[in-house]
Amino acid sequence: MGLREIVYFRTPGTHQFRRGDYPSLARVRVRVQGAGGGSGGADSDPGGSIPRPGAAAGGYSENIFEVGELSAVETVVVGAGGTGGVGNNPGTDGGSSAFGGVVTAFGGGGGSANSESGTTNITANGISGAGSGAGEGAIRISASQGMSGRGGDSMLGFGGYGQTTTGPGGGTRGWGAGAGGAFSCNGWSQPGTVGGNGTVIVELYG
């Protein structure tokens, strides 16, 4: 018995997987990816700068079920990526994803916004991952030099890039990765970036 079909749930929200829609089904492999965190915003003073760390990726979980272990209808939840912060506010955490309430992957932490505007060397810690990739830390070297943190990689996606010039953090690719951190110089406000949405993938064998 081999792989017959792959069902993807990619839109954030609640969905249903109906066992009866696949009469030849023998077993399923369920892959669940939590959503990535959004990065924090940065709004420096004139003559100063603020680099923000990257956000963390969402966690990942998977399992194999025989068809008899499945309910007639299984609830599927896809987590939404965390939102980016505005001004000097942190990003929000990514949402958790789940299949049937038994395979769950938590969302990644949002990027912090703790550092204040300045001109001297500082560092900002990265954001720990939910069993997946952590967001990288940020560093300020001077009023105009530094680097914001790269977002954490997930099992199914790549984190957004960091910045060495004024701008928002990089966006994610794939599913569940963390957003890159913003970098603000000389009073130019930069928003945080949204994290990658989660996904639930159901491989059908029969």
Side-chain angles (χ1 to χ4, degrees):
M1 290 184 289
L3 177 65
R4 298 294 184 89
E5 186 177 347
I6 302 177
V7 180
Y8 295 91
F9 297 93
R10 294 170 172 165
T11 303
T14 302
H15 311 271
Q16 291 184 333
F17 176 84
R18 297 181 178 273
R19 185 182 63 190
D21 291 344
Y22 311 98
S24 63
L25 188 63
R27 66 180 57 88
V28 298
R29 178 191 181 201
V30 177
R31 307 176 67 194
V32 178
Q33 175 65 61
S39 56
D43 186 6
S44 62
D45 297 330
S49 65
I50 307 174
R52 296 294 186 211
Y60 175 86
S61 182
E62 68 172 70
N63 209 337
I64 295 174
F65 298 96
E66 300 297 324
V67 65
E69 298 177 286
L70 298 174
S71 298
V73 179
E74 297 283 3
T75 299
V76 177
V77 177
V78 177
T83 58
V86 178
N88 284 315
N89 291 300
T92 64
D93 296 347
S96 297
S97 300
F99 178 88
V102 293
V103 185
T104 300
F106 296 111
S112 63
N114 298 326
S115 300
E116 297 181 352
S117 182
T119 61
T120 58
N121 179 266
I122 62 164
T123 58
N125 291 333
I127 308 302
S128 298
S132 196
E136 292 182 352
I139 183 169
R140 179 174 68 219
I141 299 172
S142 67
S144 60
Q145 294 178 307
M147 184 171 185
S148 63
R150 184 178 180 277
D153 292 339
S154 70
M155 286 289 291
L156 300 177
F158 299 95
Y161 56 81
Q163 287 278 11
T164 56
T165 58
T166 296
T172 65
R173 292 175 291 158
W175 301 295
F183 189 19
S184 170
C185 292
N186 201 32
W188 289 93
S189 181
Q190 300 295 331
T193 303
V194 65
N197 292 331
T199 189
V200 175
I201 303 170
V202 184
E203 299 177 358
L204 311 180
Y205 293 84

